[in-house]
Amino acid sequence: MSSELNLILLGPPGAGKGTQAERLVEDFDLPYYATGDILRAAVKEGTDLGKEAKDYMDKGDLVPDELICGVIMERIDKPEAADGFLLDGFPRTINQAEILENALDNRDRRLTAALLVDVDDEEVVRRLSGRRVCVKNGHLYHVEFDPPKNEGVCDQDGSRLEQREDDKPDTVKHRLEVYHEQTSPLVEHYDEKGLLRHFDGKRPPGEVHDHIRATLATLRLEDEL
């Protein structure tokens, strides 16, 4: 059990969590669980918890914390997660964090670390509001970091580039407000438990990856001593 890597990924939108998640999954052969994907999969598979969650989702109601955690634990109990897992988007609140910790405790398992890929608000707005997507095939560009050859036109299919509603500065700022409101208490919670590991998301993705990988290797060694 000591070599398990049971991880939570934290960070604002635009911090590059998706990139880091892909690399961690490859590095450590971990299943990656994003809350929205898990809920949709449970509903599709028609598990008892999935059916219950669907009732709430169909009414447009929030799925209760205990139920979300139950759906997550269905995944964590699968053989693929026996050596660890990477959670993204859960927990979102202290209550969810405590339910998760109790559920793991009941299984003689524990969290290894909460990985915070941190980027300041100004940089998040710069990254997200600069994104453009082609209307035909969804090719992605960035006005500053990866611009098209001709402004507003996709290099690959010649279609128009547009800014998604989610990427407009006011929307990004609102998403950040929600993130800070939800996540700040969580960051403090995991910090107090000695589980938080902080990574500078403004550094190049390769450097962030190397830092996370070295940190996890150290944690594994400490566990095995």
Side-chain angles (χ1 to χ4, degrees):
M1 285 295 179
S2 62
S3 63
E4 279 185 42
L5 278 178
N6 301 328
L7 307 170
I8 290 168
L9 196 56
L10 299 171
K17 287 184 299 171
T19 302
Q20 297 308 324
E22 281 175 20
R23 296 182 183 194
L24 287 172
V25 165
E26 201 173 304
D27 286 343
F28 298 101
D29 195 25
L30 296 173
Y32 171 64
Y33 300 136
T35 315
D37 296 343
I38 293 175
L39 279 173
R40 282 187 289 274
V43 169
K44 192 176 177 184
E45 288 166 16
T47 67
D48 289 343
L49 287 169
K51 287 174 186 168
E52 200 178 335
K54 187 176 186 294
D55 287 340
Y56 286 96
M57 291 158 78
D58 286 348
K59 292 174 193 163
D61 293 337
L62 286 174
V63 180
D65 288 350
E66 286 81 0
L67 183 53
I68 291 180
C69 191
V71 171
I72 300 279
M73 292 312 297
E74 273 186 336
R75 295 280 152 168
I76 289 173
D77 287 338
K78 287 180 182 283
E80 66 179 16
D83 294 327
F85 54 81
L86 181 60
L87 286 179
D88 186 1
F90 182 89
R92 286 189 184 276
T93 64
I94 298 292
N95 188 47
Q96 288 180 358
E98 288 172 345
I99 293 169
L100 174 65
E101 284 155 30
N102 288 335
L104 286 171
D105 201 37
N106 290 338
R107 291 159 172 79
D108 290 322
R109 300 179 74 173
R110 63 179 181 80
L111 285 173
T112 308
L115 312 174
L116 174 63
V117 182
D118 206 12
V119 177
D120 62 67
D121 288 6
E122 193 179 329
E123 178 66 11
V124 168
V125 173
R126 181 174 163 230
R127 287 182 182 186
L128 296 188
S129 64
R131 291 201 300 206
R132 298 293 183 270
V133 61
C134 87
V135 294
K136 190 174 180 183
N137 290 304
H139 298 126
L140 276 172
Y141 297 86
H142 194 283
V143 294
E144 189 179 342
F145 309 128
D146 183 23
K149 292 187 180 82
N150 298 301
E151 191 178 338
V153 180
C154 177
D155 294 346
Q156 298 183 58
D157 57 36
S159 70
R160 177 173 55 83
L161 298 180
E162 66 176 12
Q163 185 181 43
R164 287 186 294 216
E165 213 46 57
D166 257 12
D167 292 336
K168 291 185 174 171
D170 285 348
T171 311
V172 174
K173 285 172 187 169
H174 176 66
R175 287 168 69 193
L176 280 167
E177 282 171 16
V178 172
Y179 165 76
H180 289 308
E181 191 178 312
Q182 289 183 338
T183 309
S184 292
L186 266 185
V187 169
E188 204 172 300
H189 174 79
Y190 288 123
D191 197 20
E192 283 172 2
K193 287 183 170 287
L195 292 171
L196 190 73
R197 298 295 181 274
H198 190 281
F199 305 93
D200 182 2
K202 285 182 83 168
R203 292 166 64 184
E207 285 185 24
V208 178
H209 168 241
D210 289 345
H211 188 189
I212 294 176
R213 192 173 173 177
T215 300
L216 293 179
T218 303
L219 285 172
R220 257 191 169 165
L221 277 173
E222 287 171 355
D223 263 359
E224 287 165 7
L225 288 176

